[in-house]
Amino acid sequence: MNLKIIISYYSNLSWRAFVKDMLGFKYNYKVIVYNKSKKILPLSSSEIRVLPLENIGRESETYLTHIINNYDNLTDYTLFIQDDVNNHIMDNKKFIELCQEVMDRNEKFFLFPVSWRKGLKPIIRKVHNGHIKLPICPSNDAIFKMCEHLNINLPKVYKTETCAFFICHKHMIRSRSLDFYIKLREWLLTDNRNGYVLEHSWKLVFVDDK
């Protein structure tokens, strides 16, 4: 099995320590840093590829752009993370060990419990009928509207980890069509706040009772 690590970069370089801690990972892996900053990034190893990307749509747009551009050429697993791992990952090595365990068990999708800011505990939120009361979202029923618009199965109640650090098997990604991801990206870019909606909806995108 192999792994592609996708990093959505804008301003924080703490991801370099994370990549350094990946040394010794039992599976083959490579790193793509999608650079939304217009800065020239120093490479920490020859295994890191840096690609420029327009600074739109937060990390969700980065993830979707990678899926769309590599839909027919995905690695076995893809790990999607943001650049500020110092805020979100409490312990790099434990996070990496858990990532390895997910691959060992051949799990199709895993959304990591991570912190919102350094020193805080992971946040788990409960969503009822697509409704969640968050001022950062366009409306309290934004998840419901997204699911209705894109024909995504919506359970009555589900719990979700926040901050969008997850690993996904290629078969789970391809369980939805390329056209679905294109439409999801189009929807995402209709409102700057939709990134926060999708942050709470990745479980619906990749774990669907179709």
Side-chain angles (χ1 to χ4, degrees), residues 3-21:
L3 172 71
K4 186 68 64 66
I5 302 170
I6 303 305
I7 302 173
S8 182
Y9 172 76
Y10 178 69
S11 64
N12 193 311
L13 290 171
S14 63
W15 58 267
R16 292 187 298 179
F18 176 83
V19 171
K20 184 177 180 181
D21 287 337

Side-chain angles (χ1 to χ4, degrees), residues 167-184:
I167 184 171
C168 198
H169 194 278
K170 63 182 179 181
H171 292 163
M172 184 58 70
I173 296 175
R174 289 179 185 155
S175 68
R176 294 192 183 274
S177 68
L178 174 59
D179 186 58
F180 169 84
Y181 295 109
I182 292 172
K183 289 180 179 178
L184 181 58

Side-chain angles (χ1 to χ4, degrees), residues 35-81:
N35 182 9
K36 293 190 166 186
S37 71
K38 296 184 179 180
K39 300 174 184 176
I40 297 176
L41 286 179
L43 297 182
S44 58
S45 81
S46 59
E47 295 300 310
I48 299 176
R49 185 182 180 193
V50 177
L51 297 176
L53 198 61
E54 186 179 359
N55 184 28
I56 54 175
R58 298 172 55 80
E59 78 280 347
S60 295
E61 190 274 339
T62 306
Y63 300 171
L64 290 171
T65 295
H66 177 79
I67 290 172
I68 291 167
N69 292 343
N70 297 274
Y71 187 83
D72 293 320
N73 192 37
L74 293 165
T75 49
D76 295 322
Y77 279 91
T78 308
L79 174 64
F80 299 90
I81 64 175

Side-chain angles (χ1 to χ4, degrees), residues 55-202:
N55 184 28
I56 54 175
R58 298 172 55 80
E59 78 280 347
S60 295
E61 190 274 339
T62 306
Y63 300 171
L64 290 171
T65 295
H66 177 79
I67 290 172
I68 291 167
N69 292 343
N70 297 274
Y71 187 83
D72 293 320
N73 192 37
L74 293 165
T75 49
D76 295 322
Y77 279 91
T78 308
L79 174 64
F80 299 90
I81 64 175
Q82 300 178 41
D83 61 350
D84 56 336
V85 297
N86 61 313
N87 284 324
H88 299 299
I89 298 178
M90 293 172 283
D91 185 313
N92 283 352
K93 292 185 178 179
K94 288 183 179 179
F95 182 97
I96 292 166
E97 287 174 0
L98 183 53
C99 180
Q100 191 165 272
E101 289 172 8
V102 170
M103 294 178 67
D104 287 342
R105 295 192 296 265
N106 199 31
E107 291 187 36
K108 301 305 181 187
F109 174 80
F110 187 81
L111 186 58
F112 292 90
V114 295
S115 62
W116 181 65
R117 285 290 180 268
K118 188 175 182 179
L120 300 179
K121 293 182 179 180
I123 298 174
I124 307 293
R125 292 195 171 111
K126 184 180 288 188
V127 181
H128 296 266
N129 295 314
H131 289 65
I132 186 169
K133 193 173 183 180
L134 286 175
I136 54 178
C137 291
S139 63
N140 292 347
D141 63 346
I143 294 174
F144 174 84
K145 289 179 178 177
M146 181 199 73
C147 291
E148 188 174 51
H149 176 66
L150 292 160
N151 195 29
I152 297 173
N153 181 55
L154 177 63
K156 290 184 178 180
V157 179
Y158 71 93
K159 293 181 180 179
T160 182
E161 295 78 359
T162 61
C163 302
F165 280 57
F166 60 88
I167 184 171
C168 198
H169 194 278
K170 63 182 179 181
H171 292 163
M172 184 58 70
I173 296 175
R174 289 179 185 155
S175 68
R176 294 192 183 274
S177 68
L178 174 59
D179 186 58
F180 169 84
Y181 295 109
I182 292 172
K183 289 180 179 178
L184 181 58
R185 184 180 180 276
E186 290 173 350
W187 166 85
L188 172 70
L189 296 178
T190 61
D191 191 314
N192 290 333
R193 298 167 294 177
N194 282 345
Y196 298 108
V197 180
L198 195 47
E199 176 187 330
H200 292 81
S201 307
W202 288 114

